[in-house]
Amino acid sequence: MTSTIESSATVDLTAPTALDVRTLDPTMHRVVTGDRPTGPLHLGHYIGTLANRVRLQNLGVPVTVIIADYQVITDRAETGPLRNLVRTLIAEYLAAGIDPDRSTIFAHSCVPALGQLMLPFLSLVTDAELHRNPTVKAESLASRRSLSALLLTYPVHQAADILGLGGDLVPVGRDQLPHIELARVIARRFNDRYGQVFAEPQALLTSTPSVLGIDGAKMSKTRGNTILLGATADETAALIRSARTDSLRHITFDPQSRPQVANLLSIVGALSGRDPAVVAEQVGDGGAAALKTLAAEVINESLRELRHQREELLADPSYLDGVLLDGTSRAMAVAGDTLDQVRHAMGMDYLS
Ligand code: TRP
């Protein structure tokens, strides 16, 4: 068994050699993605992965979205107001364009087969590999507690999600790449030992995978620097006005030396399908104030319909619960089938 993790196989949508999502055969792929239900979704989710999920779904690729509730307790003891959060996430997915008739949304804890897959998968990785995982390292530092075994095995958990549901394309932010890489390693090692069962999943990156928050650091729930999808237009404008920029008057797109200004330009670019450098030229001597006004307008305009739908959906929790029930039974069927194949490959199919 090799003990090194090889370089990441990534499909970067911006790279010229990238797999072209417009020409891929939708029937040949299955997208699996997920979110930890630690808070409502923000603009970083929307630009980084959510818009991409919807795009893939609309191309005809089956999309499965996991609400990774067990991942909440990787770095904290409290599960939080999960029932409400799960409903909120479902409302946000649907409002963003996830269609429950074509796509599957479910909560991890409802599908036991995914947990069971972890056991054989844990035998395929070493503790050294898990300790090397950059996300595990970073999260362990951020949580200021000693590493729980669930946090240490988080990438294995996630590999079970992806492989258990037959995912071969995983639209994620750049920070998730090491996890996808480990899922590939696990698939390969399982196939080598027990015979071909799993396809090696590929990560799908968007052109703006990581959006900065209003303080200039990466936008994330834990930092409290987010612009929530559910924020009002006024709240959004106020947050953008308070965003850190720099003291240079003339606006230019320079991600290296002007990250905060570049971030606002990238957000405008991503949401309006324009090149951020062109947006910069347009703002020019208008300075940070004009850039912020433009950014708030573009964000509010882009999210207007989503926000409206979100409110309507949240007013109907029984509908949201029905979507969850439906998604759960579909996920159970797929994951149960994978587990049967795994049992068969490992010679554990005594009962079938
Ligand atoms: N770890 C992911 C996150 O924090 C969420 C997640 C759970 C996920 N299972 C997944 C993402 C499977 C992609 C595929 O965002």
Side-chain angles (χ1 to χ4, degrees):
M1 183 166 77
T2 49
S3 60
T4 52
I5 296 181
E6 288 147 40
S7 71
S8 195
T10 304
V11 182
D12 188 336
L13 294 181
T14 58
T17 55
L19 180 144
D20 187 340
V21 289
R22 290 159 306 182
T23 58
L24 62 76
D25 178 352
T27 61
M28 300 295 289
H29 298 281
R30 188 190 287 267
V31 165
V32 172
T33 73
D35 299 295
R36 295 206 305 160
T38 50
L41 299 180
H42 55 68
L43 195 61
H45 293 118
Y46 184 75
I47 293 175
T49 66
L50 200 47
N52 210 21
R53 293 173 188 173
V54 173
R55 188 158 145 233
L56 288 159
Q57 166 198 273
N58 293 344
L59 285 167
V61 186
V63 173
T64 301
V65 184
I66 305 170
I67 301 177
D69 47 6
Y70 276 127
Q71 286 194 0
V72 171
I73 48 168
T74 48
D75 64 354
R76 67 197 75 191
E78 311 74 29
T79 52
L82 270 181
R83 180 181 282 272
N84 264 331
L85 256 177
V86 167
R87 284 192 183 128
T88 303
L89 287 179
I90 296 170
E92 291 176 338
Y93 296 143
L94 301 185
I98 296 287
D99 171 0
D101 292 332
R102 287 185 282 166
S103 297
T104 300
I105 303 172
F106 75 97
H108 191 275
S109 60
C110 299
V111 179
L114 295 178
Q116 191 172 336
L117 268 181
M118 260 203 88
L119 291 174
F121 284 4
L122 282 169
S123 76
L124 298 169
V125 294
T126 66
D127 73 320
E129 284 170 334
L130 295 176
H131 280 286
R132 269 204 301 277
N133 180 288
T135 313
V136 168
K137 271 195 217 167
E139 297 225 358
S140 127
L141 286 175
S143 76
R144 276 184 255 100
R145 283 194 223 138
S146 62
L147 200 63
S148 80
L150 187 63
L151 178 50
L152 182 65
T153 55
Y154 176 114
V156 184
H157 205 185
Q158 188 151 323
D161 295 349
I162 296 167
L163 301 176
L165 293 159
D168 73 328
L169 294 177
V170 189
V172 286
R174 208 169 274 280
D175 61 316
Q176 296 285 310
L177 289 181
H179 296 344
I180 311 304
E181 184 50 31
L182 195 78
R184 295 173 61 81
V185 169
I186 288 174
R188 205 148 58 224
R189 288 181 187 164
F190 186 95
N191 294 342
D192 285 348
R193 276 194 198 178
Y194 304 110
Q196 181 70 33
V197 170
F198 296 111
E200 286 180 34
Q202 289 183 303
L204 275 175
L205 288 177
T206 45
S207 52
T208 34
S210 129
V211 174
L212 303 182
I214 50 169
D215 60 354
K218 188 189 164 205
M219 188 176 283
S220 83
K221 286 172 272 207
T222 33
R223 285 186 167 277
N225 63 0
T226 62
I227 294 169
L228 295 180
L229 297 186
T232 65
D234 287 347
E235 285 162 358
T236 301
L239 282 166
I240 291 290
R241 266 197 306 280
S242 75
R244 194 171 293 176
T245 49
D246 57 40
S247 54
L248 294 178
R249 167 97 198 160
H250 190 79
I251 294 301
T252 52
F253 182 63
D254 187 348
Q256 289 305 322
S257 57
R258 308 185 68 187
Q260 292 104 340
V261 166
N263 182 52
L264 291 175
L265 292 165
S266 296
I267 291 172
V268 171
L271 294 177
S272 60
R274 279 186 293 162
D275 181 344
V278 175
V279 180
E281 270 171 41
Q282 182 198 325
V283 178
D285 286 330
L291 175 57
K292 287 177 176 181
T293 306
L294 175 67
E297 268 170 27
V298 169
I299 294 168
N300 285 333
E301 189 53 42
S302 306
L303 297 181
R304 189 197 315 281
E305 183 54 28
L306 183 156
R307 285 168 167 168
H308 176 70
Q309 295 275 336
R310 179 184 181 277
E311 286 308 308
E312 302 236 302
L313 286 159
L314 284 173
D316 192 354
S318 59
Y319 172 74
L320 298 172
D321 292 350
V323 169
L324 188 63
L325 193 61
D326 228 45
T328 302
S329 64
R330 278 187 255 166
M332 281 180 111
V334 178
D337 186 52
T338 307
L339 191 55
D340 283 345
Q341 291 177 47
V342 164
R343 286 199 188 99
H344 178 71
M346 297 179 75
M348 294 175 175
D349 51 347
Y350 325 114
L351 299 179
S352 53

